[in-house]
Amino acid sequence: MTYESDLLRLLEERGHLHQITDPGALDSRAAKQVITGYVGFDPTASSLHIGNLASIMLLKRLQQAGHRPIVILGGGTAKVGDPSGKDETRQLMTDERLAGNIAGIKGSFERILDFNDSDTGALLINNDDWLSKLGYVEMLRDVGPHFTINRMLTFDSVKTRLDREQPLSFLEFNYMIMQAYDYLVLARDYDCQLQLGGSDQWGNIVNGIELNRRIDAREVYGVTAPLITRADGTKMGKSVDGAIWLNEDALPAYDFWQYWRNTDDRDVGKFLRLFTDLSLEEIVRLEALEGAEINDAKALLANEVTAMVRGLDAAKGAEATARETFVGGGAGEDLPSFATGSGGVRLLEVLTGIGFTASNKEAKRKIAEGAVKIDGDVILDAGYVVHPSGEQPLKLSLGKKKHGLITV
């Protein structure tokens, strides 16, 4: 389908489109007027990760196409927990924990989206503002009749859990109703006409669309983005060490930059389209590079994403550290570090403490494999005790891509 609106053309050419509830109607409306659209983010941690970044980019593209993005912070829905893609019930969080998480993730939106008083200025809203004020009987009477248990049981978030004979609490079962109610409130109060999200949110989005139609006879729309996988088939956003967090206090800028720099050659073009504002012509040129030259495209990808998420200074510092570490043979100042104290620490504990290995058992295995070096020398003794001396730190390496500093 050839789209008339800048919005759907932009989403399509950048690789963000998977499903649209009524493409013709949404395209026509987006071509004629400013559309307000939203994405919800439950504050389940004090930092977002790059899986969330894919959804933030949907809002960024919405704003770039001349429309208004709304960030919904799920202070209310997070009290229940989204069962989508989960095999077990989430741990319930206190109000204090939720407030701390919300404070932690706000900065990511403020760096990537433009919050101003214009018609396309982004808004940041907490759905706890209305969800926690609902009376239980009121909710059942007003919203409950529009949901059938039969249909709710067909949604993947419910069906998968039941098929695996994993418990699904009545609390979680209500999540889709609460999210649908969000869309109803946003449509009424902000003339919101579009919900965007990952492909796993399709069922929740459709529920909200149907609730608007049944209660208010209002036509609203939904767009989902494809699940982003790497060339090896794994889900994007995870490394061997866990999530790739957006916040500096959760993951150093160097490690964030290095994740993007280590992108598989086959993914460079896709990630440049999804996560940068480089022109499509430039991306076509970059993804065609071969051999050692493709590394220049990877470094550019790492710089662009890090600058957007962490700021230009963080990107420059991480690149300088990488250049010093990999090209100059030195040890850049942005590398992760571990302080041993004056008494020295076993190498096993250093590897685990700096985050290179998940346990001393794994550290022992890496040492036995000859993968661990200190100042370029391979260490094969699992009982080795590290004794830094003076002001010069020791350079610790695990394989070719993990480097850190050991200090007193």
Side-chain angles (χ1 to χ4, degrees):
M1 180 175 179
T2 300
Y3 295 114
E4 176 186 359
S5 66
D6 291 341
L7 172 60
L8 293 187
R9 283 205 306 268
L10 178 61
L11 290 175
E12 182 179 50
E13 66 189 15
R14 287 282 172 171
H16 296 289
L17 276 188
H18 180 57
Q19 293 169 295
I20 309 176
T21 53
D22 189 343
L26 175 59
D27 187 41
S28 177
R29 187 170 292 194
K32 298 173 183 175
Q33 66 184 75
V34 174
I35 294 286
T36 296
Y38 84 99
V39 178
F41 300 84
D42 282 348
T44 56
S46 59
S47 171
L48 299 171
H49 52 74
I50 63 173
N52 303 124
L53 180 60
S55 295
I56 301 176
M57 293 305 295
L58 292 174
L59 293 176
K60 183 177 176 69
R61 302 302 184 206
L62 183 73
Q63 193 167 47
Q64 288 174 331
H67 303 282
R68 186 180 205 179
I70 296 179
V71 175
I72 291 297
L73 295 174
T77 41
K79 293 177 180 178
V80 172
D82 186 358
S84 301
K86 303 297 178 185
D87 285 336
E88 56 187 31
T89 303
R90 291 183 186 270
Q91 292 295 315
L92 297 182
M93 290 180 286
T94 64
D95 288 346
E96 291 75 19
R97 173 78 180 278
L98 284 170
N101 289 349
I102 288 173
I105 67 178
K106 279 184 176 180
S108 292
F109 302 112
E110 292 166 350
R111 279 188 288 272
I112 298 172
L113 301 174
D114 188 7
F115 290 82
N116 58 55
D117 295 329
S118 72
D119 290 342
T120 61
L123 299 176
L124 194 148
I125 304 170
N126 188 341
N127 65 12
D128 195 51
D129 292 345
W130 55 82
L131 290 178
S132 288
K133 295 175 183 177
L134 287 172
Y136 184 62
V137 174
E138 172 194 15
M139 181 73 164
L140 289 178
R141 285 175 57 88
D142 293 347
V143 179
H146 302 287
F147 289 84
T148 67
I149 297 297
N150 313 61
R151 187 149 189 270
M152 293 170 77
L153 290 173
T154 67
F155 286 106
D156 286 342
S157 60
V158 174
K159 190 173 182 295
T160 302
R161 186 82 72 84
L162 297 180
D163 287 346
R164 294 177 181 174
E165 297 185 355
Q166 299 286 345
L168 178 73
S169 71
F170 180 70
L171 182 67
E172 291 174 288
F173 197 61
N174 282 273
Y175 185 89
M176 65 181 74
I177 299 176
M178 295 172 68
Q179 192 181 103
Y181 189 78
D182 283 349
Y183 205 168
L184 184 69
V185 171
L186 291 170
R188 287 173 170 176
D189 294 353
Y190 297 92
D191 193 25
C192 184
Q193 302 170 44
L194 176 63
Q195 182 181 1
L196 307 103
S199 58
D200 62 334
Q201 293 299 309
W202 179 251
N204 289 330
I205 291 173
V206 168
N207 277 333
I209 291 171
E210 292 185 353
L211 188 64
N212 271 283
R213 185 180 299 128
R214 291 174 179 177
I215 293 182
D216 288 349
R218 185 192 301 266
E219 290 298 319
V220 293
Y221 309 96
V223 167
T224 63
L227 174 69
I228 301 175
T229 56
R230 297 181 293 199
D232 60 7
T234 59
K235 184 178 179 180
M236 187 192 179
K238 297 285 186 178
S239 73
V240 294
D241 301 314
I244 305 301
W245 300 104
L246 302 192
N247 285 12
E248 177 71 27
D249 58 0
L251 184 73
Y254 172 78
D255 291 332
F256 184 82
W257 187 94
Q258 195 65 36
Y259 174 86
W260 297 98
R261 169 59 183 78
N262 291 336
T263 294
D264 188 294
D265 293 1
R266 297 167 291 177
D267 288 329
V268 170
K270 177 167 71 172
F271 290 173
L272 284 169
R273 286 179 178 84
L274 289 169
F275 298 106
T276 79
D277 290 331
L278 294 177
S279 71
L280 294 176
E281 293 77 15
E282 176 68 358
I283 292 172
V284 169
R285 183 189 72 81
L286 290 167
E287 67 183 344
L289 297 175
E290 297 179 349
E293 289 186 331
I294 193 67
N295 291 330
D296 294 334
K298 294 179 185 182
L300 182 58
L301 170 65
N303 285 336
E304 291 288 318
V305 180
T306 306
M308 177 179 65
V309 174
R310 301 289 185 86
L312 186 58
D313 288 345
K316 289 181 176 179
E319 184 183 26
T321 294
R323 189 183 304 113
E324 175 67 14
T325 302
F326 293 103
V327 180
E333 61 182 15
D334 277 358
L335 290 177
S337 63
F338 182 90
T340 64
S342 58
V345 175
R346 289 192 307 161
L347 180 56
L348 295 174
E349 296 170 14
V350 174
L351 287 165
T352 302
I354 205 170
F356 286 2
T357 56
S359 64
N360 286 354
K361 182 178 179 180
E362 182 188 353
K364 187 174 182 179
R365 186 177 73 253
K366 293 295 183 182
I367 292 171
E369 293 171 354
V372 179
K373 295 181 181 179
I374 294 182
D375 280 350
D377 296 327
V378 176
I379 307 297
L380 295 172
D381 179 9
Y384 186 87
V385 177
V386 184
H387 284 284
S389 59
E391 297 182 359
Q392 189 66 28
L394 300 174
K395 179 181 174 183
L396 174 67
S397 301
L398 176 60
K400 295 180 179 180
K401 296 179 178 179
K402 289 188 177 182
H403 303 278
L405 304 177
I406 308 173
T407 62
V408 177

